Amino acid sequence: MTHNNLKHHIRWAWSISQGYRSKLLLYFVLELLAIALSLLFVYLSKKAVDMAISPTDIPLRWTLIGIVATVGVGLGIRAYTGWLNERIKMMLTFELQRNMLDAQMLSVWRLIKNWHTGDIQVRIQTDCEEVANMIAKTLLSFILTAIQLLASMVFLWYMDPMLALMILALSPLFLFSKIYFQKMRKLSQEVKGEESNFSNILQENLRFRLLIRAMGIFPKRRKKLTDSQRDLFGLKMKQLNFSTYTQSVMKVSINAGYLLTFIWGIYRLQSGQISFGTMTAFLQLVARIQTPILALITFIPGFVRFRVAADRLLELKSGEIESQMDQQRLRGIAALEIQNLSFRYEDKWVLDHLNLSLRAGEPVAVVGPSGKGKTTLIRLLLALIKAEKGQILLTDRAGTRPLSAAHRINFAYIPQGNSLFSGTIRENLMLHVQKAEHIDIQKALWVACAEFVMELPEGIDTVVGESGMGLSEGQAQRIAIARALMHDGDIWLFDEVTSALDRKTADTLIHRLLDYGENKLCLFVTHDLTLANICKQRLYLD
């Protein structure tokens, strides 16, 4: 993992906070007011106790009213700031998660293959929350706590300088050491890494649960998950043990400070050097000093988690992102020309000086063994990857132009295998429909040989599960074909469109597709020789 320096983390966090800074400033100012009211409460309570023992000319009820007012207003402010802060944190978390998800959705192909889905999910869900929590809450809480500590120490110094020095000396500030920070960061990195590994295994087990049972490998996959849980448990126990030790040291120091204050105050009260009201103020101020110190100590783990999470998110976002541009719907596309196209993965060329011409009404079949570049060709046509050499040209009524990602809207693409999303069939069919630019649903279902949809209990509003759960592979494939046809693009890219169909259904589908697509540019990647022989052009990749 790449480790960015603190300055980089701060600049990145500052950029994320844009749009929320005015709300965070309001939260900060109100919290400052709440701190001032809490110190005013200490002062007024001291006055009230002294006035109760030694009456003065000022009525006691006014001091008591002031105490009640400070408590009431303080509670109201804290209730509002708590609500405001949680709202900001949620909004910031969701926005950061959207941005990270967008970055992954638009990553170039060579980066997508570097990340496991389970790892990405952990980073987007938990790491984004860690960063948002630092920006919206932890950092401001740290500053406010430091201000509260400083103000309380000044107040205590004013009342008894020696006591202030003793309290400060016994506070467990040594835990802010570099060794403590490094230990916490190392443990956090190890836990985050194992959480991602566990999520990877869990995601795969759930995704392939039927396949795992069918292959009889459930015991091995379960053991893999259990082993990851065991490793994660061990790492979290290390964190827990370290945290328990440091917290125990802090609690001993806190209690020692309180006992010291109590004993010191009793002796000074007995000797008549302080009043009873001052004694009560001492005890309240000690709590207001030691509690912030404890809060400052607990800031370290949160800060460590933030830096680890920031590294993981910046690593996730560091790759090349496909620029977003307005989609260009072309009219009357007559030809697509592939000229001297070459592409390689690492050091292996899969396409070398490929030439191909697609014309309306002249379907092309691309055949050949696996691993010879058929799927790569589709990715190049969809501008998901860039060719090393050569070019792809589109010709429409306005002329000829190089193919780009902005032209993707002109393609109707049917990938190999099941590609349905959870939801209703209607939602799947309408996924990338642009306004009125689509064919009739009934027509699309008929061309795709998916008329069976109308016989389902809820028709096109029937809900299908994840990856088309509840449908046969062939049914899901035909609905996916209908979905692509609904878009009514001028260029059809079909990847193994008949792979899950019986021969009779496949022949009917081919006939309907070619008949309806007589004015389309059609490219079929296929192992179906019947389909290949019907096409007017055949390209063999070997």
Side-chain angles (χ1 to χ4, degrees):
M1 179 188 296
T2 302
H3 299 300
N4 297 281
N5 59 37
L6 179 59
K7 186 177 181 180
H8 188 192
H9 287 158
I10 293 174
R11 284 202 305 264
W12 182 59
W14 177 251
S15 68
I16 293 172
S17 69
Q18 187 175 9
Y20 299 91
R21 293 170 192 166
S22 59
K23 298 182 181 67
L24 290 172
L25 179 61
L26 174 62
Y27 165 78
F28 185 78
V29 171
L30 290 175
E31 281 289 322
L32 282 180
L33 180 57
I35 291 173
L37 288 173
S38 70
L39 294 177
L40 179 59
F41 169 80
V42 173
Y43 174 77
L44 291 177
S45 62
K46 171 187 177 301
K47 284 289 186 181
V49 172
D50 288 339
M51 291 170 66
I53 296 174
S54 302
T56 63
D57 295 335
I58 302 175
L60 178 60
R61 67 175 180 274
W62 290 113
T63 304
L64 295 176
I65 290 172
I67 291 174
V68 172
T70 56
V71 171
V73 174
L75 288 174
I77 290 175
R78 284 284 161 78
Y80 176 72
T81 55
W83 172 86
L84 178 62
N85 186 259
E86 286 298 319
R87 185 174 185 272
I88 295 171
K89 187 173 70 173
M90 284 191 293
M91 293 171 63
L92 191 55
T93 299
F94 292 156
E95 181 176 344
L96 185 56
Q97 287 176 336
R98 287 194 302 270
N99 291 340
M100 286 296 158
L101 181 59
D102 288 348
Q104 280 304 299
M105 296 294 287
L106 297 173
S107 291
V108 297
W109 184 86
R110 66 175 179 272
L111 294 175
I112 292 175
K113 62 185 177 66
N114 294 336
W115 304 104
H116 193 288
T117 305
D119 183 21
I120 294 173
Q121 286 179 329
V122 169
R123 297 187 188 216
I124 289 178
Q125 290 173 348
T126 64
D127 292 344
C128 285
E129 191 170 353
E130 293 281 6
V131 171
N133 188 64
M134 170 58 64
I135 296 171
K137 187 172 184 179
T138 308
L139 181 59
L140 290 180
S141 295
F142 175 79
I143 297 173
L144 289 165
T145 301
I147 292 173
Q148 180 181 348
L149 174 61
L150 181 61
S152 299
M153 286 295 296
V154 169
F155 199 166
L156 186 59
W157 181 278
Y158 171 76
M159 299 177 66
D160 193 323
M162 182 58 68
L163 184 59
L165 289 174
M166 294 171 67
I167 290 294
L168 186 62
L170 282 177
S171 299
L173 298 178
F174 63 89
L175 289 178
F176 283 96
S177 67
K178 186 176 181 180
I179 296 176
Y180 176 82
F181 180 85
Q182 290 175 340
K183 177 71 172 177
M184 285 297 300
R185 186 171 189 180
K186 183 175 183 294
L187 288 172
S188 294
Q189 288 171 342
E190 291 174 348
V191 169
K192 288 285 188 183
E194 191 54 45
E195 283 177 341
S196 290
N197 183 53
F198 173 75
S199 181
N200 294 346
I201 300 169
L202 180 63
Q203 190 266 346
E204 286 181 345
N205 281 3
L206 289 173
R207 182 182 177 188
F208 299 115
R209 53 191 181 274
L210 294 181
L211 177 62
I212 288 171
R213 286 164 55 195
M215 295 175 64
I217 58 174
F218 173 71
K220 287 189 175 181
R221 291 299 304 183
R222 190 178 190 279
K223 182 179 183 302
K224 189 175 180 69
L225 186 73
T226 303
D227 290 345
S228 178
Q229 283 183 317
R230 184 193 63 237
D231 294 341
L232 185 58
F233 177 79
L235 290 171
K236 288 197 171 186
M237 281 303 301
K238 285 184 180 180
Q239 268 191 326
L240 177 62
N241 293 339
F242 186 69
S243 177
T244 301
Y245 169 74
T246 54
Q247 286 184 14
S248 297
V249 173
M250 285 188 282
K251 288 178 181 178
V252 169
S253 300
I254 293 292
N255 282 282
Y258 182 82
L259 289 174
L260 176 68
T261 305
F262 182 76
I263 294 170
W264 178 267
I266 289 293
Y267 275 113
R268 299 203 69 191
L269 183 63
Q270 184 185 38
S271 63
Q273 297 180 52
I274 61 173
S275 66
F276 189 72
T278 303
M279 176 66 181
T280 59
F282 274 171
L283 297 179
Q284 291 184 66
L285 283 172
V286 168
R288 281 167 170 76
I289 290 172
Q290 291 182 328
T291 300
I293 289 175
L294 184 61
L296 290 176
I297 295 297
T298 59
F299 168 79
I300 293 182
F303 181 68
V304 170
R305 290 194 299 271
F306 156 72
R307 294 206 62 191
V308 173
D311 274 335
R312 286 161 57 86
L313 293 178
L314 287 168
E315 185 181 23
L316 200 64
K317 199 178 180 182
S318 61
E320 181 182 352
I321 304 299
E322 179 183 295
S323 62
Q324 287 299 282
M325 58 189 76
D326 292 336
Q327 292 289 294
Q328 299 176 17
R329 188 66 184 262
L330 305 181
R331 299 299 177 187
I333 299 178
L336 183 150
E337 297 285 341
I338 299 175
Q339 299 178 351
N340 297 315
L341 199 65
S342 299
F343 184 84
R344 63 180 172 180
Y345 294 105
E346 306 300 338
D347 58 350
K348 180 183 179 182
W349 291 94
V350 291
L351 294 176
D352 190 15
H353 293 91
L354 175 67
N355 290 279
L356 180 65
S357 177
L358 271 71
R359 300 191 180 280
E362 299 179 5
V364 175
V366 178
V367 297
S370 299
K372 296 301 181 180
K374 300 188 300 297
T375 301
T376 299
L377 176 59
I378 288 181
R379 289 175 180 158
L380 288 164
L381 290 171
L382 292 172
L384 296 173
I385 55 178
K386 297 178 181 178
E388 298 275 345
K389 303 174 184 176
Q391 61 181 344
I392 303 174
L393 302 174
L394 283 176
T395 300
D396 68 343
R397 296 169 186 168
T400 301
R401 71 202 73 199
L403 176 72
S404 71
H407 299 132
R408 203 174 287 151
I409 193 173
N410 299 282
F411 288 80
Y413 170 53
I414 295 92
Q416 184 176 357
N418 194 330
S419 60
L420 296 186
F421 297 93
S422 56
T424 66
I425 294 174
R426 185 192 299 272
E427 289 172 339
N428 272 277
L429 293 174
M430 301 297 290
L431 265 179
H432 57 164
V433 167
Q434 301 292 321
K435 299 180 181 179
E437 298 177 349
H438 62 87
I439 69 173
D440 180 73
I441 289 180
Q442 298 281 355
K443 179 70 173 179
L445 291 173
W446 180 83
V447 174
C449 294
E451 306 98 314
F452 68 89
V453 165
M454 306 313 297
E455 299 174 2
L456 295 175
E458 301 297 329
I460 61 174
D461 292 310
T462 298
V463 176
V464 296
E466 179 185 6
S467 296
M469 191 72 71
L471 299 172
S472 71
E473 187 177 354
Q475 288 176 324
Q477 188 177 43
R478 283 179 279 168
I479 293 174
I481 294 170
R483 179 180 63 196
L485 297 178
M486 285 288 295
H487 175 49
D488 204 25
D490 287 343
I491 307 171
W492 288 1
L493 299 180
F494 291 173
D495 192 357
E496 299 294 353
V497 71
T498 61
S499 61
L501 305 179
D502 61 84
R503 186 70 266 161
K504 181 179 179 181
T505 304
D507 290 342
T508 303
L509 174 67
I510 293 169
H511 172 75
R512 292 180 182 179
L513 285 174
L514 295 180
D515 183 58
Y516 180 74
E518 60 180 350
N519 295 317
K520 307 289 185 180
L521 280 70
C522 303
L523 185 143
F524 296 91
V525 170
T526 183
H527 286 95
D528 186 343
L529 295 181
T530 301
L531 171 58
N533 290 330
I534 294 175
C535 293
K536 293 186 177 181
Q537 291 188 70
R538 285 171 293 281
L539 173 66
Y540 293 93
L541 297 177
D542 51 26

